[in-house]
Amino acid sequence: MKFTDSPVIELPVLDKRLSIQQDNGSMHVGTSVWPCSLVLVKFAERWHPLICAAGDSQQPTNPYADLLNFTNKRAVELGAGCGVAAMGLYLLGLHDVVITDIAPVMPALKHNLKRNKPVLKKNLKTAQLYWAKEEQIQALGPPFDFVIATDVVYLEETVGPLIRAMESLVAEDGVVLLGYQLRSPEAHELFWQICGSVFEVEKIPHEHLHPDYAYEETDVYVLRKKKKDV
């Protein structure tokens, strides 16, 4: 199920607007825009200090002020596809970000980065990454404060490499920001089984998502490494 067949998806972020071109004729899922990336960006925007200061968050305090403090933080996005999540979070202050995906998706990613350069005002960094390739993981220069991943759990055989990549890339005190929707029952079951042995899992309450981007089947999770026993 694709999110929409429209060739162009527009996403307002603060006072900017991203314009993402997707390839509906492609045989690769990474060249389409999937809803979790939009949901994650708009969640972060809802709790952005500027929005909260303006009183638009409809909350007396900001429970995510520390979580979403992007100042001087490093990030990497896994399975970025068209690059929506990384570009949106960049506009929200996550300025040191590397955007990754596999080789067949890189043309679509680079096209959309170029398309949005007038909004982004710079060239964001990209890198080819296959989750099972340890040398590619290490070449990215971990650890990162944030690992970003949206709509990446849909093939059972990629679940193990994905979680190992997350674990290798995220700092001991870092977080994985995960936009999630059930795509495959088998991959879903395996992902959360392995995930629970590696990470502490926090699910963002649905009412804390952006009201215009709180799709019923889509959730945001925060994963933190479990502390090792000394």
Side-chain angles (χ1 to χ4, degrees):
M1 186 275 296
K2 287 189 177 178
F3 177 52
T4 173
D5 286 330
S6 172
V8 175
I9 309 295
E10 294 202 340
L11 181 67
V13 183
L14 298 179
D15 60 344
K16 305 289 196 303
R17 183 174 293 270
L18 295 171
S19 176
I20 312 298
Q21 190 168 35
Q22 61 177 357
D23 182 0
N24 292 316
S26 169
M27 295 299 291
H28 200 287
V29 295
T31 61
S32 296
V33 174
W34 299 84
C36 290
S37 57
L38 311 182
V39 172
L40 178 61
V41 170
K42 296 301 282 190
F43 159 71
E45 182 196 52
R46 179 182 180 181
W47 299 102
H48 189 275
L50 289 177
I51 300 296
C52 290
D56 295 336
S57 69
Q58 301 177 342
Q59 294 283 342
T61 58
N62 182 354
Y64 304 108
D66 290 336
L67 172 67
L68 299 175
N69 177 8
F70 297 142
T71 305
N72 298 322
K73 300 293 176 61
R74 298 179 69 228
V76 60
E77 183 179 8
L78 306 183
C82 296
V84 178
M87 284 192 278
L89 294 175
Y90 174 85
L91 292 176
L92 294 171
L94 191 57
H95 290 159
D96 188 350
V97 58
V98 183
I99 312 172
T100 73
D101 213 315
I102 61 174
V105 181
M106 295 306 284
L109 172 58
K110 290 182 177 180
H111 170 77
N112 277 297
L113 289 173
K114 183 177 180 181
R115 179 185 177 92
N116 287 278
K117 188 177 178 182
V119 175
L120 300 168
K121 306 296 187 189
K122 69 172 288 188
N123 293 313
L124 302 192
K125 292 177 283 188
T126 63
Q128 184 175 302
L129 177 63
Y130 288 80
W131 300 332
K133 292 193 174 182
E134 182 65 25
E135 69 277 12
Q136 290 185 348
I137 290 172
Q138 294 307 315
L140 293 171
F144 290 88
D145 302 294
F146 290 94
V147 171
I148 314 298
T150 66
D151 255 319
V152 291
V153 182
Y154 54 89
L155 291 175
E156 190 175 5
E157 59 266 31
T158 65
V159 164
L162 169 62
I163 294 176
R164 286 191 294 274
M166 289 176 171
E167 185 180 14
S168 296
L169 288 164
V170 73
E172 292 301 319
D173 59 349
V175 297
V176 178
L177 294 179
L178 176 68
Y180 188 85
Q181 184 167 341
L182 195 158
R183 299 292 182 189
S184 153
E186 295 80 12
H188 170 83
E189 182 177 354
L190 183 61
F191 178 80
W192 291 114
Q193 177 187 336
I194 301 176
C195 218
S197 66
V198 178
F199 296 107
E200 300 287 354
V201 179
E202 175 191 355
K203 182 179 179 181
I204 300 299
H206 222 251
E207 61 268 23
H208 286 182
L209 302 180
H210 191 291
D212 296 334
Y213 292 80
Y215 307 126
E216 185 177 352
E217 298 121 355
T218 302
D219 288 295
V220 172
Y221 290 88
V222 179
L223 311 180
R224 296 177 175 89
K225 277 186 178 179
K226 287 191 170 182
K227 301 301 180 186
K228 296 187 172 102
D229 295 330
V230 179

